[in-house]
Amino acid sequence: MGQGTQTKKPPASSALRWPVLLFAVVALCLAVWGGSMLDPDLLIAAFQELWLGEPPRRAAGDPAPHDPPRLALRGPLEQTVYERGLVTRRISAQSVLKEHQAFYYNTSQRVFAQTVVGFISPWTPSAAESLWRFGRKLTHAAPVLYDAVDTGHLRCKLGEHGGERWLKWLRAASKADRGTAVRTAAPPRLVPLVSFEQLDLLDFFTGEGQEARAGTLLVSLQETLLKHRLHGFVLDAHQYLARLASQERRLVQPAMHVFVQLLAAQLSEEGGELLLYVPPHPGLFSPTEFSQLYPALGGVILQTANYSAIKGEPGPMAPLTWMRSALAALKPPPEAEGKLIAAVPMVGWDFTLPDGPNRELGAAAYLSLLRRYEAVGKFDWHEAGKEHAFKYSVDGVDHVAYFPSLRGLAERVGVLRSLHVGAAFWEIGNSLDYFWDLM
């Protein structure tokens, strides 16, 4: 044999190959459709080596051939993440990669007594699957679907027919009696998000013909509610007041709040409800405005997420002390209990040190990052922010990635429960399955 020549491992004998093939096919089907505890990729690799006599091909970032195989857990288990000892400050990339697809089997058992909203993006492929499996953890599902335009009409981000198909798909997924043997909670209420991002707020609420345009929008929202059998809407309007000068804002805010009250009353008559999505800024949404509006609303969601990304500085996504102070700043009266909801991030950010560029991290990008850099990166616990940070380097450039962890989420869930505040998770379908044990 010449130097450098490699021998190919002979295939398994005929006596062994057919049982191996039958086992691999059955196990792969169980892994994909039945929630098996083995990773389908691992089964495919094992079949490739036993049947074809060749090692599995490596993708960029996969463990080297000499590394021990990682048996990833997958699907429903009889233990919660607490019982599995995973809610801890000491975590590793390997533990996240091994454990994140496995979850407690009772996926309808809710941790929160208050409102739990799950935002859903139409561009997240696994959103409907997450709603199908975990939707009964939610009281409300909020598809990010509509924009209000200056004519007073609604524009669907997917087009009218695409939006209608997606809503039917989400409704079927949320009501499906699959994914667990235990069903105790009701399906979530479907409340799409309506954004005012496309509106010229000053012209819409104070310009010529403003009453007619506002009336058209009220009618459009009511027609959409009835046509698609929705349970209400989440209105994202107040953050866009930041575009206006203070004098313009003082003109727009009273008219906007009249609109909110009219819409809430209109939806209530049809059995629906309105939730507001507001920024943690007293100049854009004050304690006085909260007290005036909350009685007519299904809830007020405070945007307590993306703290460091908005500042443009590396750091926690939603520092817990900041979340608490932002909630307290609204000064909710005792009778408003159940109306205040805090946004909890389920996606993260990857910061290039010292000052950018930065990128948002969904679950797929985060897991890819961990696979690629698990041997050289490390997790640190950010004590002040109560979040984990994954630090690594690329070609001599340092990075730090903040992504939700079980311990960080557990800290937030505990605080919100103690305050009798609800939670709004942004976004489902773009996070890790074992997070649902905490919801």
Side-chain angles (χ1 to χ4, degrees), residues 194-210:
V194 178
S195 173
F196 276 13
E197 183 179 10
Q198 303 300 321
L199 286 185
D200 180 338
L201 293 179
L202 183 63
D203 183 63
F204 188 86
F205 284 109
T206 67
E208 184 178 353
Q210 55 89 12

Side-chain angles (χ1 to χ4, degrees), residues 96-346:
V96 174
L97 293 169
K98 176 183 177 181
E99 304 280 356
H100 74 92
Q101 290 179 295
F103 50 87
Y104 185 55
Y105 75 96
N106 185 355
T107 56
S108 64
Q109 179 177 315
R110 291 176 182 160
V111 172
F112 279 93
Q114 310 295 338
T115 300
V116 182
V117 182
F119 287 99
I120 310 168
S121 169
W123 296 281
T124 300
S126 58
E129 180 185 353
S130 292
L131 194 62
W132 165 73
R133 188 177 294 278
F134 303 110
R136 309 232 175 177
K137 293 269 190 176
L138 307 172
T139 60
H140 298 71
V144 181
L145 196 56
Y146 294 109
D147 288 306
V149 296
D150 287 327
T151 59
H153 294 91
L154 286 182
R155 178 184 296 155
C156 181
K157 296 179 185 293
L158 299 177
E160 181 61 29
H161 297 298
E164 185 171 0
R165 287 194 299 270
W166 195 53
L167 285 172
K168 288 182 179 178
W169 188 24
L170 293 181
R171 185 180 294 106
S174 67
K175 291 183 177 180
D177 194 18
R178 298 183 294 174
T180 180
V182 181
R183 286 294 187 201
T184 58
R189 294 168 65 82
L190 203 56
V191 288
L193 183 136
V194 178
S195 173
F196 276 13
E197 183 179 10
Q198 303 300 321
L199 286 185
D200 180 338
L201 293 179
L202 183 63
D203 183 63
F204 188 86
F205 284 109
T206 67
E208 184 178 353
Q210 55 89 12
E211 291 184 0
R213 289 194 298 271
T216 298
L217 184 54
L218 287 171
V219 171
S220 296
L221 288 162
Q222 184 177 26
E223 289 177 346
T224 301
L225 179 91
L226 298 175
K227 177 180 179 180
H228 298 299
R229 294 180 289 119
L230 304 174
H231 300 100
F233 296 101
V234 177
L235 184 63
D236 177 16
H238 289 76
Q239 67 171 311
Y240 304 111
L241 290 168
R243 299 171 176 172
L244 304 178
S246 57
Q247 185 175 358
E248 295 172 333
R249 197 180 304 155
R250 285 193 293 270
L251 294 174
V252 169
Q253 281 178 310
M256 180 186 287
H257 291 159
V258 170
F259 177 86
V260 167
Q261 290 170 322
L262 289 173
L263 178 57
Q266 178 179 281
L267 296 178
S268 179
E269 291 177 358
E270 302 294 345
E273 62 182 326
L274 179 66
L275 293 86
L276 285 189
Y277 191 53
V278 302
H281 190 298
L284 305 178
F285 191 79
S286 68
T288 299
E289 290 160 335
F290 176 80
S291 297
Q292 291 172 347
L293 293 176
Y294 85 80
L297 301 173
V300 174
I301 304 171
L302 196 61
Q303 295 167 292
T304 45
N306 292 338
Y307 173 82
S308 296
I310 291 172
K311 293 175 63 179
E313 300 174 358
M317 298 168 293
L320 192 53
T321 52
W322 170 73
M323 287 183 68
R324 294 188 69 139
S325 62
L327 291 165
L330 282 181
K331 302 176 182 177
E335 56 270 23
E337 184 175 314
K339 293 295 184 79
L340 188 55
I341 305 162
V344 178
M346 299 292 278

Side-chain angles (χ1 to χ4, degrees), residues 23-44:
F23 169 78
V25 170
V26 172
L28 182 60
C29 292
L30 288 173
V32 174
W33 291 292
S36 168
M37 293 171 61
L38 289 178
D39 191 331
D41 293 336
L42 186 64
L43 293 169
I44 292 171

Side-chain angles (χ1 to χ4, degrees), residues 36-73:
S36 168
M37 293 171 61
L38 289 178
D39 191 331
D41 293 336
L42 186 64
L43 293 169
I44 292 171
F47 165 72
Q48 184 178 354
E49 186 162 7
L50 285 169
W51 180 260
L52 301 178
E54 61 183 33
R57 296 180 179 88
R58 293 178 60 219
D62 282 352
H66 61 270
D67 290 340
R70 180 185 297 116
L71 293 176
L73 297 176

Side-chain angles (χ1 to χ4, degrees), residues 300-415:
V300 174
I301 304 171
L302 196 61
Q303 295 167 292
T304 45
N306 292 338
Y307 173 82
S308 296
I310 291 172
K311 293 175 63 179
E313 300 174 358
M317 298 168 293
L320 192 53
T321 52
W322 170 73
M323 287 183 68
R324 294 188 69 139
S325 62
L327 291 165
L330 282 181
K331 302 176 182 177
E335 56 270 23
E337 184 175 314
K339 293 295 184 79
L340 188 55
I341 305 162
V344 178
M346 299 292 278
V347 295
W349 284 88
D350 182 10
F351 297 95
T352 303
L353 302 178
D355 53 4
N358 310 318
R359 62 168 178 143
E360 191 172 18
L361 279 181
Y366 175 64
L367 294 172
S368 176
L369 186 153
L370 294 187
R371 291 188 189 99
R372 183 171 299 179
Y373 300 107
E374 67 171 300
V376 295
K378 67 172 185 175
F379 277 101
D380 286 334
W381 174 252
H382 192 288
E383 179 60 32
K386 304 295 184 185
E387 293 185 18
H388 277 103
F390 184 71
K391 298 180 178 180
Y392 66 102
S393 296
V394 182
D395 298 328
V397 178
D398 292 333
H399 290 248
V400 58
Y402 284 87
F403 193 89
S405 65
L406 287 170
R407 178 58 183 263
L409 282 174
E411 296 267 2
R412 282 148 184 77
V413 167
V415 167

